[in-house]
Amino acid sequence: MWNSVDSPTIAVAKAFTNPMKLQLPGSRLIGRAPLVATVLSLLLLHHGFQSRAWSQNYQNYRVGYPSGPLPIPVSADELRSEFQLGEPGQREDLLKRLGVHPGIAHEASVATTETTIKVDSLEGKNMHVLFLPCTGPGVPTAHLLLLRPVAKQGWRVAENVPLDCWYGDATYELLSIPGHVQQAVLAHHVNLGHGSGYVQNDMLLLFAVDTGHLSTVLRTAEYSKQTSLPEDKTVEQQSTLQPFPDGSLEETRATTFLEGENGVEKRLIRIERRRWSWDKTSQSFVSGEFTSVTD
């Protein structure tokens, strides 16, 4: 019989050890044949009460938090899973509840798997970075957003930085820098101007988050391509950034000629480096001069 101090699941499990029969309060005897189905049904029901309010089944797999604010204990990994597993309508609803503009939420919610919505936790800070890929008609735009917990509202968008993607898809990475800016977000291929057949200022932008906001502390050209006439020579320049233990960053710029038919052959002609150091007055990084490291 069922002990009143036991939960339904425990009672069924105990009764299962009786090889003859099972009886629940107020019910008729249950033979051993349907016993397995009874145990499984009660175990699944009990588990469902304890789990998060997701509806999961093999015919119609759906995910989603209950309606209302996103709880503060929700991790970046959980949010990332929601965006990866949810349907477009669910992603759109989740973005709106985080405080994303409805139009931006709709465009981002239909992003393909190759340009998925991304979420990262900022180490040592109670903040998340939310990245919406390059989408939308006309000039495609990505969005770099900062999520912060708000009392009684849960996770909410605190800041939104649009990133122009005219030349190529803007991306980002988290960068650990010793010293003044310990945690930073480095955005790649941010365009600040464009026209027919050319792109102006394909930039690297470094955002600090130590103040609780996305503040730009460094900007430099990441890629440029120019053709000079009448020589008809095409020159490409590509820059990368590398943090150093002293808190500075080193920019390396490679210059190449495009040669051969349709410019498919590249010839490296110069590599230069310069150092970016933290300036207390401007609260940003300032650069030195490029010096050549090639003959």
Side-chain angles (χ1 to χ4, degrees):
M1 296 295 293
W2 178 18
N3 189 322
S4 60
V5 299
D6 288 334
S7 69
T9 305
I10 296 174
V12 172
K14 287 182 177 180
F16 185 66
T17 60
N18 187 334
M20 298 301 296
K21 54 192 174 181
L22 166 69
Q23 183 176 12
L24 295 178
S27 67
R28 61 185 178 85
L29 292 178
I30 302 176
R32 186 176 178 84
L35 186 55
V36 173
T38 303
V39 172
L40 289 175
S41 297
L42 288 175
L43 285 174
L44 289 173
L45 179 63
H46 181 61
H47 174 73
F49 286 135
Q50 293 180 335
S51 65
R52 191 158 60 91
W54 287 12
S55 171
Q56 302 182 0
N57 58 66
Y58 293 106
Q59 288 75 33
N60 186 20
Y61 186 85
R62 299 176 64 86
V63 297
Y65 286 97
S67 61
L70 271 294
I72 291 176
V74 172
S75 68
D77 288 339
E78 288 179 301
L79 281 175
R80 192 182 308 114
S81 296
E82 292 287 305
F83 288 122
Q84 291 176 351
L85 299 175
E87 298 174 357
Q90 294 170 312
R91 293 197 291 265
E92 182 175 350
D93 175 68
L94 186 55
L95 288 172
K96 288 179 181 178
R97 288 159 57 193
L98 288 169
V100 177
H101 184 277
I104 297 173
H106 176 74
E107 293 291 345
S109 67
V110 296
T112 62
T113 55
E114 289 78 13
T115 55
T116 53
I117 298 169
K118 296 179 175 63
V119 186
D120 275 308
S121 179
L122 294 171
E123 184 179 352
K125 305 178 187 301
N126 195 19
M127 292 182 285
H128 297 331
V129 170
L130 171 64
F131 181 79
L132 307 182
C134 299
T135 58
V139 178
T141 305
H143 293 270
L144 186 65
L145 303 104
L146 192 64
L147 300 180
R148 300 178 66 184
V150 178
K152 299 182 180 181
Q153 296 185 45
W155 288 103
R156 299 289 295 176
V157 172
E159 199 154 1
N160 174 17
V161 178
L163 307 175
D164 188 340
C165 306
W166 182 264
Y167 173 74
D169 288 351
T171 60
Y172 81 98
E173 63 176 307
L174 299 184
L175 207 61
S176 295
I177 305 174
H180 301 285
V181 181
Q182 296 184 2
Q183 189 86 44
V185 182
L186 180 61
H188 294 271
H189 298 299
V190 181
N191 308 144
L192 301 181
H194 56 81
S196 178
Y198 78 94
V199 174
Q200 178 184 1
N201 296 334
D202 180 33
M203 307 294 290
L204 283 168
L205 298 183
L206 186 68
F207 298 94
V209 294
D210 291 329
T211 61
H213 297 281
L214 290 167
S215 55
T216 305
V217 293
L218 184 153
R219 66 175 64 212
T220 187
E222 181 171 25
Y223 175 83
S224 67
K225 181 178 179 180
Q226 296 180 345
T227 301
S228 60
L229 297 174
E231 298 89 351
D232 197 25
K233 288 185 177 180
T234 301
V235 178
E236 278 188 339
Q237 287 188 322
Q238 180 80 43
S239 284
T240 59
L241 282 178
Q242 176 65 42
F244 273 64
D246 63 358
S248 65
L249 296 107
E250 184 177 74
E251 178 182 357
T252 300
R253 184 173 70 183
T255 303
T256 58
F257 274 152
L258 300 186
E259 300 177 323
E261 188 176 356
N262 298 322
V264 294
E265 298 177 8
K266 291 188 178 183
R267 180 167 61 90
L268 179 66
I269 60 173
R270 185 169 59 254
I271 295 179
E272 304 164 285
R273 291 195 177 105
R274 65 177 174 180
R275 192 65 65 93
W276 291 80
S277 302
W278 183 255
D279 180 71
K280 294 182 179 179
T281 303
S282 63
Q283 291 293 294
S284 63
F285 286 96
V286 295
S287 68
E289 297 293 328
F290 274 114
T291 59
S292 176
V293 294
T294 56
D295 295 332

